[in-house]
Amino acid sequence: MAKVLFVLGNAGSGKTHFSRKFIKSELEQKNFWCLVDKDHVGEPITNQLMIKLGLDPDDRDSPIYKEEVRNLEYQAALSVMRDQLHLGINVVAPGPWTKELKNGLLFNNEKLGFPNETELHYVYLDAKPLDVYNLIKKRNNKRDKWKLNHWEDFAKKLEKPQEIVQHNILTLTHGLHFEKQKELVKAMM
């Protein structure tokens, strides 16, 4: 029975970093996981589509991106995840998954198109706005330009989604040592 670990959190909360460390740590124990990062899966297509729409290819914050392009990235990631799960391969999926979290899709194997016996697990990485700012600045990604240039507007969106609280999803705070984070994640599985 394959597992999915959705690594949730705001931009700059360390989702990809945590996911990579988790997978490397698991590989050392001969536990195999596939990383399906929606940014990496969708970026080549998204950038070209944004250019065709006459938009900045690094824009991930405009209403047009969110309405016209965002869902394609997530659909592509889910498609890759389905293939892995049907092969019996565990998947780590970092991303905000905001819309899927709010509409409940993230909690339903059938709606996700996953095999029925897939185990769904979740962890939310929580970081204070100053930590998010510093992490975003440090990673120096062109897609974060708007966030940094409009920090006050972006920072207002950094609250923990109510769905995280309602579903009692394990929340790890920024700065907690990775070994402790991994221990907590493994304990819930």
Side-chain angles (χ1 to χ4, degrees), residues 1 8 111 159:
M1 172 176 357
L8 310 166
K111 289 181 181 176
E159 295 181 15

Side-chain angles (χ1 to χ4, degrees), residues 168-179:
N168 200 26
I169 291 175
L170 174 64
T171 298
L172 303 176
T173 55
H174 178 73
L176 184 63
H177 192 271
F178 173 74
E179 290 304 320

